[in-house]
Amino acid sequence: MFINDVEQCQWIRQKFETPGVMQFSLEEKKTLLARMIRSTRFEEFLQRKWSSEKRFGLEGCESLIPALKTIIDKSSQSGVESVIMGMPHRGRLNVLANVIRKDLDQIFCQFDSKLEAADEGSGDVKYHLGMYHKRMNRVSNREISMSLMANPSHLEAVDPVVQGKTKAEQFYCGDNEGKRVMSVLIHGDAAFAGQGIVYETFHLSDLPSYTTYGTIHVVVNNQIGFTTDPRMARSSPYPTDVARVVNAPIFHVNADDPEAVMYVCNVAAEWRNTFHKDVVVDLVCYRRNGHNEMDEPMFTQPLMYKQIKKQKGVLQKFAEKVIAEGVVTVQDYEEEVARYDKICEEAYTRSKDEKILHIKHWLDSPWPDFFTLEGQPKSMSCPSTGISEEELGHIGKIASSVPVEDFTIHGGLSRILKGRANMVSQRVCDWALGEYMAFGSLLKEGIHVRLSGQDVERGTFSHRHHVLHDQNVDKRICIPMNHISLNQALYTVCNSSLSEYGVLGFELGFAMASPNALILWEAQFGDFNNTAQCIIDQFISSGQAKWVRQNGIVMLLPHGMEGMGPEHSSARPERFLQMCNDDPDVFPKMSEDFAMRQLYDCNWIVVNCSTPANYYHVLRRQIQQPFRKPLIVFTPKSLLRHPEAKSSFDEMLPGTHFKRMIPDDGPPAVNPEKVKRIVFCSGKIYYELTRERKNRGMDDTVAVVRIEQLSPFPFDLVKAETERYSNADLVWCQEEHKNQGYYDYVKPRIRTTINHSQPVWYAGREPASAPATGNKQTHLMELQRLLDNAFGLDAFSGKL
C-alpha cells in the first residue's frame, strides 16, 4: 500500500483482516437490493425505449450506484454536508437519476429529438451534463447537497475542476479540515492510468491552499480478462500503478459482489473522514456493451465477449443470493422491480409533455442570489470602478510598508517598498501598485481575491512581492494585503505546483462556487498557457454556451516580443481571439448600454492594457459588472518597470472607468485635419511607436490609437476615431508575426466599421511558424522594419 504510517496500516489491516467483519443487517441488505434494482432497471428501461441511442450505460458495473450511495451515506453520518462529484460519461445518466436524484422525466425528455432548444446557448449531449440537488439523506437523516459537475468528453479533465470547487466551498463555509465538504471522483481504468491530469490533480492534494483534505476515487475497472474459467478473472494493474505514485491506499473489490462493494465503500468513506487522505476504490468489473450501445465489441474481442455473454447479471446473482438467505421472497423482489418500472413509465409519460429543452435545469453551480428569479442580470450597467483618493493613499501605504513588528525583510525589498512609497507621495502607480490598488480595494469591499500560479507570490519578474519573508526567522511570513482593514475579505496568494492544466482547472472550479470573488490564475510566461489548452477550449471559452454556467475566472498571461526567444514571448493572442464568438462582419446595434450589452453577449473578454490604471479598472470591472465572464489579460513584462508606463491617481478616482480604447490626446487631437495616418495598436508596442514618432518629428501627422479591449471589439469607438481623422489612411501595427497576434481579428472588424471604404494596412513582422526569433540582433532588425512601415507614409503606395 506504500503507506509509511504505522497507525494507518494497522487501521487498514483491522478493517480487512479481522474475521467476520463483513456483516450486514436485514434492512441493509434490503436497501442494497433496492438500489441494485434501480441501477439495473434504469439501464434496461432506457435500452427498451431508446435502443438505437447512445447513452453510455452502466451494464456490467451496476454496483457503482450502491457504491456511491454508500459513500454518501457514510460521509453524511460523519457530518459531511456537501459532496461534489466528477465522472466520465459511462453511467452518468444512472448516477444523475439514482444518486443525485434528478427527476426522471427531465432525463427522459433529453432523448426526444423533437424538443425545441431554449435560447440559452448551444447545449451539450445528455451524458455530459451536470446537476445540483439538495435533499434529505435517509440513512443519516441529515440534509446534504450534491453536485455532479458538467464535463466534456476529454477524460479526467473535470478532476481539477471538481477539486477547485470543493476547495472553494470549504473556504466559504470555514471548513479547514474537510469535515463538511468533500469530493468524489469516478474514473475509467485506462484514463485513470493514462491521463496525466490525474497525477497533476493528485499532487495538489497535500499542497497548502489546494488540499481538499482527501478525495474518494472510484475506478470503474473494465480491464478484466476472461479465461475459459470466468472465476479466474484478473484485474488491470493500472489503478495500482497510479496509487503507488500518489501514495494512496487502493481497495480492490469484485463489482459482481454488491455486499463486498458496500463494505469496501464504507471503509473508504471512513478512511477519508478519519485521516482526510485520498483513497482509491477499484471496482473490478466488465462492460457488457462496447464503448457505447452502438459499438460491437465482438469485432475486436470475440473470445472475451463470448464469456461475458454467458455471465449472469449482477442483480440476478445478488437477488438469488438474498432470496436463498430469506432476506426477501421472490414476490417481494418482483414487487420491488414492478414498483420501479412503474416509476419509470410514469416519468416517461410526463416527459412527453416537455416541449422545450432547458439547459438551465442541469446547472451544477447555481448562484441563486446573484441573478433574478429568471436567471437574468439584475441590471445592465456597471458603476464607476474608481475609488477615493483617501483609499488609494491608504492602500498605497500598506503596499509600501511592513505591517508587522520585528519583521526583517530583505534589503533589496526595502528599496522596492521605498520606491512604492515615493510613487504614492507623487500620486502615481506603476503596474504592481496598480494591481495592489485593485486587489486591496476589492478586499476592503468584502470581495475575496485569490491569485494562483507558479511563483505568483513574488511574481515571475520579481515585481509583486505580496508575501514578505522574515530574513531571520525561518518560514515566518507576512501578507500586507491582509492588513488593509479590520472587516476586509481574506486575500489568498499561493504558489502552485509546476502545473498549468491541473492548476488552471482548479482555479476555474474555485471560481464556480461564488460570483463574489476575484479568482486569478497567472502563467509564469503566457507561452505556457497551451499546456492547459483543454481547460481553455472545453471549459473557459465554451462553458457558458454548453452548460449555461457563467464564470469570472481571470487569466493573466505575460506577453511581449522582447528578444527572449520563441518560448518566452507570446501568449498566443490569436488563439484566444479566434475563439471569440462575435461576428466580424456585423456592426452591433447601437444602444445606451452598448458596451455592457457587448460584454453580456460575448463568451469571454480579451484585453491588452497599456496603462496600470486601465489594468486596475478592468480587474475591478470584473466584479462590478452584473454578470460573470472569463477575462483574458495579456500582461506586460518590460512595462512593469517602464518609466512611461505609470498612471496618475486622477485616472483611478470616482467617476473613472476602464477605457476600451485610448485615443491619441496629443497634437493629432488638436488638428485632426493634418493627420495623414492612424496607427491602431494594442499593448506595449504603443510605447515603441510613440518613441519612434517623436524621433521622426511626426507627432502631428500620425495618430496612435490603442485598442485596449480587443474582444468584444469597440466598434463604436473605432468608428468615431476613423470619422475624426477623415483624411488619414489606416494601419494596424503589431509586434507579433502577421499570422499571429491580433491582425486577423481586428482587420475585418475595422473594415466593417468603415463599411469597407478603405484598406487596413499591416505593419508588423512577417508570417512565421515560431512566435519569435531566438537571436537578439534579428529581433531588433524586425522591430525597426515594422516601425519603418508604420511611419513610412509611402510604405503602402502602389499596393492593393
Side-chain angles (χ1 to χ4, degrees), residues 42-43 58 64-65 68 85 87 90-102 148 186:
F42 176 82
E43 299 292 356
L58 203 51
L64 175 66
I65 300 304
L68 295 177
M85 301 167 63
M87 69 178 298
R90 186 183 178 204
R92 188 180 195 86
L93 295 179
N94 207 324
V95 170
L96 283 165
N98 290 314
V99 178
I100 308 295
R101 302 306 290 270
K102 174 80 174 171
L148 178 63
I186 299 103

Side-chain angles (χ1 to χ4, degrees), residues 413-543:
L413 193 50
S414 296
R415 289 190 294 274
I416 291 173
L417 297 189
K418 186 177 178 180
R420 286 182 185 171
N422 187 45
M423 281 191 287
V424 173
S425 69
Q426 296 176 20
R427 300 182 66 254
V428 296
C429 284
D430 65 0
W431 210 270
L433 191 53
E435 181 182 77
Y436 218 108
M437 296 298 189
F439 289 3
S441 58
L442 290 172
L443 292 166
K444 193 169 182 292
E445 294 165 11
I447 300 298
H448 172 55
V449 178
R450 176 184 168 96
L451 174 62
S452 165
Q454 297 158 26
D455 208 14
V456 295
E457 296 177 6
R458 183 196 67 167
T460 297
F461 310 102
S462 196
H463 67 288
R464 184 174 283 126
H465 298 288
H466 284 185
V467 179
L468 310 181
H469 294 260
D470 195 313
Q471 299 297 296
N472 299 323
V473 182
D474 187 34
K475 296 182 180 177
R476 186 185 182 209
I477 63 170
C478 170
I479 303 176
M481 199 89 76
N482 281 325
H483 295 263
I484 289 174
S485 68
L486 290 175
N487 299 317
Q488 71 168 85
L490 183 69
Y491 176 49
T492 303
V493 55
C494 41
N495 290 339
S496 72
S497 58
L498 198 69
S499 155
E500 288 82 31
Y501 189 173
V503 176
L504 179 58
F506 188 98
E507 301 310 328
L508 178 78
F510 201 106
M512 286 177 188
S514 171
N516 300 312
L518 183 68
I519 310 301
L520 309 97
W521 174 78
E522 182 175 68
Q524 191 177 54
F525 282 83
D527 313 60
F528 305 149
N529 78 75
N530 58 11
T531 307
Q533 200 70 51
C534 179
I535 297 296
I536 295 167
D537 291 354
Q538 312 310 134
F539 290 88
I540 300 179
S541 74
S542 57

Side-chain angles (χ1 to χ4, degrees), residues 590-605:
M590 295 301 298
S591 63
E592 268 187 49
D593 56 4
F594 177 85
M596 195 55 51
R597 180 63 60 181
Q598 270 196 308
L599 293 175
Y600 180 70
D601 291 337
C602 75
N603 61 316
W604 58 13
I605 304 164

Side-chain angles (χ1 to χ4, degrees), residues 289-306:
N289 298 314
H291 175 63
N292 59 62
E293 290 70 28
M294 303 296 99
D295 183 40
E296 176 49 79
M298 292 285 283
F299 288 155
T300 55
Q301 297 286 341
L303 299 182
M304 180 187 291
Y305 272 86
K306 283 177 183 176

Side-chain angles (χ1 to χ4, degrees), residues 27 41 49 96 146 173 253 257 276 319 325 416 521 527 557 748 761 791:
E27 280 307 307
R41 298 299 286 182
K49 297 295 185 183
L96 283 165
M146 288 182 292
C173 73
V253 59
D257 185 346
H276 297 285
E325 291 174 354
I416 291 173
W521 174 78
D527 313 60
L557 307 176
W761 302 110
F791 291 102

Side-chain angles (χ1 to χ4, degrees), residues 73-92:
D73 292 344
K74 187 72 173 179
S75 299
S76 180
Q77 287 175 314
S78 299
V80 171
E81 300 166 3
S82 178
V83 177
I84 295 135
M85 301 167 63
M87 69 178 298
H89 29 287
R90 186 183 178 204
R92 188 180 195 86

